[in-house]
Amino acid sequence: MGSVITIDDIRVEEFEQVSELLVESYSQYQESYESKEGWLDYAESLRDSVHNPFVDRILVARDGAEILGSLQLFTNSEAAYHIPDLAIFSPIIRMLGVSPSARGKGVAQALLKESISYAREKGADHIYLHSTDLMADAIRLYEWLGFKRDTSKDFNKLNFVVKCFRYDM
């Protein structure tokens, strides 16, 4: 019998495990940082993100007791990025991470679909996420699920153009 992926809210006792899963998931991009310190700062921000007081909801994908992935949902661009000028007043997906050992099993897809359902339940017309060209595989998944580019909500961070993708309900 195959594994069954379930999606639920994070439990307090899972914060540390999800923090480390995020660092492990994003570590494939550490060479793109200009310095080791830059990557270490980013890794620390990933760890701290599960304690962000502005997060609306943290979803966790599980196979039984094993955590396979997670993502964070925010209510708007000010909460998500501290950038009110982006003027996004719909849910925003951030920090999507899947354990390298669980990739290719539909974990990210299940988390994203649950996020879309959640946004629908809240009465949102759209749900947004942002990514960079470094994350080409993730961008292909977003587009396959129906997310479209919204260049009006792009922004720059460090040496990256952070591209916006919008899913219309």
Side-chain angles (χ1 to χ4, degrees), residues 10-11 29 33 35 41 48 51 53 57 59-60 74 76 82 90 92 94 102-103 119 141 164-165:
I10 193 171
R11 300 175 191 138
Y29 305 113
Y33 282 80
S35 68
D41 287 346
D48 292 344
H51 301 289
R57 189 173 183 202
L59 297 179
V60 175
F74 293 82
N76 58 57
H82 306 296
S90 295
I92 297 173
R94 292 203 63 207
R103 291 187 180 153
L141 173 62
C164 180
F165 295 83

Side-chain angles (χ1 to χ4, degrees), residues 16-76:
E16 182 68 28
Q17 189 177 354
V18 169
S19 293
E20 293 310 315
L21 179 142
L22 285 169
V23 173
E24 180 186 23
S25 174
Y26 282 80
S27 66
Q28 68 187 21
Y29 305 113
Q30 66 182 306
E31 297 302 317
S32 65
Y33 282 80
E34 292 181 0
S35 68
K36 183 176 182 176
E37 292 76 26
W39 161 250
L40 292 173
D41 287 346
Y42 185 62
E44 192 59 30
S45 72
L46 289 168
R47 284 186 188 94
D48 292 344
S49 71
V50 298
H51 301 289
N52 185 338
F54 299 105
V55 71
D56 182 38
R57 189 173 183 202
I58 299 176
L59 297 179
V60 175
R62 297 183 185 83
D63 179 0
E66 182 184 6
I67 295 177
L68 306 175
S70 73
L71 65 69
Q72 299 173 19
L73 290 161
F74 293 82
T75 57
N76 58 57

Side-chain angles (χ1 to χ4, degrees), residues 92-152:
I92 297 173
I93 298 165
R94 292 203 63 207
M95 305 296 181
L96 171 60
V98 175
S99 171
S101 64
R103 291 187 180 153
K105 298 179 181 178
V107 175
Q109 183 177 337
L111 285 163
L112 290 164
K113 286 182 176 180
E114 177 61 27
S115 299
I116 291 166
S117 294
Y118 180 66
R120 251 190 212 111
E121 289 169 16
K122 291 187 76 114
D125 293 328
H126 316 285
I127 189 167
Y128 293 84
L129 59 81
H130 289 82
S131 192
T132 67
D133 287 336
L134 290 174
M135 300 175 184
D137 291 340
I139 290 171
R140 278 192 290 280
L141 173 62
Y142 306 149
E143 292 174 337
W144 182 79
L145 286 170
F147 283 83
K148 306 287 186 218
R149 282 282 286 123
D150 183 347
T151 57
S152 72

